[in-house]
Amino acid sequence: MVDYKISIIIGTRAELIKTFPLMLEFQKRKIPYYFIHTGQHNLEDLCDKFSVKKPDIILTKEPEKSSKFFTKQFDAILWNLFLVPKIKKELKKLKNLKYVFYHGDTMTTASASIASSKSLNFFKKYKNVHLEAGLRSKNLLEPFPEEISRRIAGKFSDILFAVSIRSEKNLQKYKNSKKIIKIGNTIIDSADISYKIALKEKIKLLSRKKFVVISIHRHENIKNKERLKKIVEILMSLKIEAYFTLHDNTKKQLIKFNLYEKLKQNKNIKIIETLEYINFIYQLKNCSLIICDGGSLQEESLIFKKPCIILRKATERQEGLETNFQFLSKLDVRKTKEKINEFLDEKFKVKDLKNPYGELGVSKKIIDILR
């Protein structure tokens, strides 16, 4: 049996996208790792695409599409509770374990941090490591449940890899009990690798003209009729080509609230299926504006220096708001429409900046530090 000193716990596609550069670096250095997949999302195609090994074990049955808990929050809570002993049992098999990695702010993140903590493993010799630590919106409901998950991970982890100066400050209450290391965000490596793959694969652009990329999927937005109405009203104001990469959950809610047909009335908006990450990154690199409610897109906006409208009330990635090209809308329809026009104006120029989430090579630095 392989003597695994490293375990990586992943549940969602977003976690894998941000963790695969670390996995590739382990593979390059011939450091074996035990890959635990919780089954929150289906990951098989992404493992193939990024040339990382398939999971050593899948703890629960993967959903065919999207997340398995969109309409069943009670089921999600139960799943989380049952996941903790399952993860703990798997880790117990690895006798010479040194580090357990988990990423971000998902249900899997929270469960992994608890399952690998000293609270449940009194005599453990390994350290549990939270990647992308320290992000805080300071609002438990924005985004929900991600803000809660990242706070749980902060409390139960031994090593916290903070992504920025601000996130490092957010973790200072743990300075006497945990190792806090400001490292940057692995998404910088993810985006770079993915863009290079896209160039090799000769991915086609969505448009040769100026175009907008839209992605809306946050539960607090799409489950709230009033919020979704405001979002549609904002999108209806677009006067240039726009591509709405529509998640199946978002489509269901648009139809439920009788907003889907209204959205289609704007001939500039092309509704398309969600793009696989490499294709998506290529479109982001070449678009003129991003309209989103997700966290990673705010980071990718900084990487590619693309104007970004954030359709949320609050964000944990506040560093981008200090630039001149990210705008937190707070779902104010009038102000957001004005900002869209400003960002798309020919006179608008993105001011140069040093990315607050670091530079290329974050994944290599993480391994170098721990070794």
Side-chain angles (χ1 to χ4, degrees):
M1 184 178 173
V2 178
D3 181 20
Y4 291 106
K5 292 182 172 63
I6 306 291
S7 179
I8 299 175
I9 305 169
I10 291 175
T12 69
R13 296 172 73 82
E15 289 170 67
L16 182 58
I17 285 166
K18 288 187 170 184
T19 309
F20 86 83
L22 190 71
M23 299 162 90
L24 287 177
E25 191 62 25
F26 279 132
Q27 290 171 192
K28 182 181 175 183
R29 300 189 192 199
K30 295 184 169 52
I31 301 172
Y33 59 90
Y34 191 72
F35 182 3
I36 300 172
H37 174 26
T38 65
Q40 196 172 337
H41 287 173
N42 191 305
L43 304 179
E44 188 172 354
D45 62 320
L46 282 183
C47 289
D48 287 334
K49 202 73 183 172
F50 296 135
S51 303
V52 296
K53 77 170 190 174
K54 301 277 174 60
D56 291 286
I57 187 163
I58 303 174
L59 299 180
T60 63
K61 188 179 178 181
E62 302 163 297
E64 288 184 19
K65 284 189 174 184
S66 197
S67 178
K68 57 173 85 176
F69 303 119
F70 178 67
T71 58
K72 302 173 182 177
Q73 289 188 337
F74 183 68
D75 286 358
I77 294 168
L78 283 178
W79 182 81
N80 250 41
L81 291 173
F82 284 117
L83 198 59
V84 171
K86 284 175 181 273
I87 294 172
K88 183 183 174 184
K89 183 180 176 183
E90 282 305 307
L91 294 177
K92 202 171 181 180
K93 294 177 185 176
L94 309 174
K95 301 301 180 185
N96 295 311
L97 202 54
K98 285 192 175 181
Y99 296 108
V100 176
F101 291 87
Y102 38 85
H103 183 281
D105 53 20
T106 69
M107 290 187 293
T108 289
T109 313
S111 296
S113 66
I114 295 168
S116 60
S117 70
K118 193 158 275 187
S119 300
L120 294 187
N121 306 273
F122 305 115
F123 304 108
K124 73 176 182 120
K125 294 180 180 178
Y126 63 82
K127 301 292 185 183
N128 57 339
V129 183
H130 184 202
L131 303 170
E132 198 181 80
L135 294 172
R136 297 289 186 271
S137 70
K138 310 292 173 70
N139 184 332
L140 289 177
L141 300 178
E142 299 279 348
F144 179 83
E146 285 82 353
E147 180 71 7
I148 295 170
S149 293
R150 60 174 71 103
R151 292 192 192 194
I152 290 171
K155 181 178 177 60
F156 286 101
S157 302
D158 297 314
I159 299 173
L160 302 168
F161 276 112
V163 294
S164 65
I165 293 170
R166 181 182 271 104
S167 62
E168 185 182 26
K169 287 177 181 174
N170 288 337
L171 297 168
Q172 284 308 297
K173 65 179 178 179
Y174 299 123
K175 66 181 179 180
N176 295 324
S177 59
K178 305 173 189 300
K179 186 75 173 173
I180 302 166
I181 304 164
K182 183 178 76 68
I183 196 74
N185 199 315
T186 55
I187 197 170
I188 294 173
D189 298 335
S190 305
D192 180 67
I193 295 167
S194 298
Y195 183 67
K196 286 172 180 172
I197 294 172
L199 291 176
K200 283 182 184 176
E201 293 184 353
K202 297 182 179 177
I203 300 283
K204 289 185 178 179
L205 275 177
L206 288 170
S207 176
R208 290 289 173 188
K209 302 175 184 176
K210 284 180 67 172
F211 67 94
V212 180
V213 171
I214 306 166
S215 177
I216 307 295
H217 68 276
R218 292 243 36 89
H219 284 208
E220 60 268 23
N221 277 340
I222 66 177
K223 284 191 169 184
N224 184 308
K225 185 177 181 179
E226 290 309 307
R227 282 193 179 206
L228 204 51
K229 278 175 70 177
K230 287 181 179 180
I231 288 169
V232 170
E233 188 177 346
I234 289 165
L235 297 180
M236 290 297 287
S237 70
L238 288 168
K239 295 180 176 65
I240 69 165
E241 234 173 288
Y243 292 85
F244 194 160
T245 60
L246 195 60
H247 292 251
D248 53 333
N249 291 334
T250 308
K251 184 175 181 178
K252 283 178 194 172
Q253 294 302 107
L254 285 167
I255 292 169
K256 178 182 176 181
F257 296 140
N258 298 315
L259 294 168
Y260 186 66
E261 291 304 319
K262 181 180 180 181
L263 191 66
K264 289 170 72 176
Q265 289 171 15
N266 185 334
K267 301 302 180 186
N268 291 316
I269 299 174
K270 321 289 185 202
I271 294 174
I272 61 175
E273 290 186 0
T274 53
L275 303 172
E276 54 90 10
Y277 187 69
I278 289 166
N279 189 342
F280 192 59
I281 280 294
Y282 188 68
Q283 307 308 330
L284 291 184
K285 178 71 167 67
N286 291 283
C287 75
S288 298
L289 175 67
I290 299 166
I291 299 178
C292 68
D293 63 0
S296 297
L297 271 161
Q298 294 171 56
E299 294 159 349
E300 288 149 354
S301 155
L302 290 169
I303 291 167
F304 296 123
K305 297 182 174 59
K306 296 294 177 180
C308 182
I309 300 289
I310 305 158
L311 296 178
R312 284 164 64 167
K313 297 271 189 178
T315 179
E316 63 286 350
R317 292 163 170 88
Q318 293 158 24
E319 290 84 354
L321 304 183
E322 294 162 7
T323 70
N324 78 321
F325 60 92
Q326 286 197 357
F327 175 70
L328 181 64
S329 76
K330 299 186 179 179
L331 298 184
D332 183 314
V333 175
R334 181 185 61 81
K335 286 183 180 177
T336 307
K337 286 181 178 180
E338 288 174 0
K339 209 68 184 178
I340 287 172
N341 290 333
E342 179 189 329
F343 283 165
L344 289 174
D345 192 286
E346 294 291 341
K347 295 176 183 176
F348 178 77
K349 300 293 180 190
V350 169
K351 290 180 182 175
D352 201 21
L353 83 157
K354 185 178 180 181
N355 194 328
Y357 298 123
E359 299 173 349
L360 276 175
V362 174
S363 305
K364 292 178 183 178
K365 286 178 189 174
I366 289 170
I367 298 175
D368 289 341
I369 287 169
L370 294 181
R371 293 197 81 178

